[in-house]
Amino acid sequence: LVVHLRLIRKIDLAAIIRGDMKLSDKQARVLGACAHNANLPLVELQKSTGLRGHTIRFALNSLEQRKLIFYHPIINVAPLGYQIYHLFLNIKLSRRDTRVAVSTFLKKCQEVSWAAEVGGEFSHALSLVIREPKEIWDFLDHLSAITSGGILKKSILQELSFTLFPSNLWRDRGDPE
């Protein structure tokens, strides 16, 4: 199995909005360019900011040291023919043996990439990595058999892959910057 793995820059905008962090003009320009597309290579960052390479590297290093940006691995399963679905379920777990059976099933099911017990409207959240949407219904049928029909509510979300284009590409030419 070949996995496509890439690193993206994550930006902690909350710290900036709260005013916890002060940025230089150059750091702000680099951060703004990364906010539009976190995967920009150095050459593209140079073009978009007008800064030299060593200035950009220095800004990125200082932003990373201040924990304003950090690198996060992302696994892209789409080239392998898979799709990711997030399921939010309310599962009736009144008996201990049912709780153990559900937990065991979720741990052993190879389509489940992660699962968690959550609070609020749903009792469980999980992620399925599958090729065909029909596999969701097969998974839910199996889970329903374990819980004796105890799935009370479900919500299914599909994770989409997309490219974020800078706002200057979709603005009308007459719009102010």
Side-chain angles (χ1 to χ4, degrees), residues 164-175:
L164 180 62
F165 293 101
S167 59
N168 62 351
L169 293 180
W170 47 265
R171 263 195 200 120
D172 288 337
R173 295 201 186 264
D175 285 352

Side-chain angles (χ1 to χ4, degrees), residues 2-46:
V2 176
V3 176
H4 292 258
L5 181 65
R6 62 189 173 117
L7 292 174
I8 65 166
R9 291 181 194 99
K10 291 269 204 170
I11 300 169
D12 184 5
L13 292 177
I16 298 167
I17 292 168
R18 284 192 313 264
D20 297 346
M21 301 281 183
K22 301 292 183 219
L23 299 177
S24 71
D25 177 56
K26 292 175 183 176
Q27 289 173 331
R29 286 163 57 191
V30 170
L31 192 59
C34 291
H36 287 298
N37 185 348
N39 276 338
L40 280 178
L42 183 62
V43 173
E44 295 298 319
L45 283 172
Q46 286 176 294

Side-chain angles (χ1 to χ4, degrees), residues 38-72:
N39 276 338
L40 280 178
L42 183 62
V43 173
E44 295 298 319
L45 283 172
Q46 286 176 294
K47 289 178 188 174
S48 65
T49 62
L51 299 171
R52 297 190 320 200
H54 71 276
T55 305
I56 292 170
R57 281 191 294 278
F58 183 80
L60 287 172
N61 285 336
S62 67
L63 292 168
E64 189 176 352
Q65 287 173 358
R66 294 167 67 187
K67 307 262 191 263
L68 268 173
I69 63 170
F70 52 94
Y71 294 90
H72 184 73

Side-chain angles (χ1 to χ4, degrees), residues 1-2 6 11 13 19 21 24 33 47 50 60 69 90 92 98 107 113 115 119 132 134 136-137 140 163 166 168:
L1 178 65
V2 176
R6 62 189 173 117
I11 300 169
L13 292 177
M21 301 281 183
S24 71
K47 289 178 188 174
L60 287 172
I69 63 170
N90 192 354
K92 184 179 176 187
T98 305
K107 287 177 187 174
S113 65
E132 300 291 328
K134 180 192 178 306
I136 296 172
W137 308 120
L140 290 173
T163 301
N168 62 351

Side-chain angles (χ1 to χ4, degrees), residues 67-92:
K67 307 262 191 263
L68 268 173
I69 63 170
F70 52 94
Y71 294 90
H72 184 73
I74 299 293
I75 298 174
N76 183 8
V77 296
L80 302 172
Y82 289 95
Q83 297 177 24
I84 298 175
Y85 289 87
H86 302 289
L87 278 64
F88 300 91
L89 307 170
N90 192 354
I91 304 172
K92 184 179 176 187

Side-chain angles (χ1 to χ4, degrees), residues 99-162:
R99 181 180 298 274
V100 170
V102 167
S103 178
T104 303
F105 170 68
L106 292 176
K107 287 177 187 174
K108 289 185 177 181
C109 182
Q110 67 182 19
E111 290 86 6
V112 175
S113 65
W114 62 265
E117 284 191 38
V118 296
E121 192 174 343
F122 299 101
S123 63
H124 289 76
L126 56 102
S127 182
L128 293 179
V129 181
I130 58 174
R131 289 188 186 267
E132 300 291 328
K134 180 192 178 306
E135 294 175 63
I136 296 172
W137 308 120
D138 295 342
F139 172 84
L140 290 173
D141 285 346
H142 193 185
L143 188 59
S144 185
I146 292 171
T147 63
S148 303
I151 301 176
L152 306 175
K153 187 175 186 178
K154 53 189 162 273
S155 179
I156 302 170
L157 304 171
Q158 182 179 11
E159 184 174 301
L160 301 175
S161 294
F162 62 90

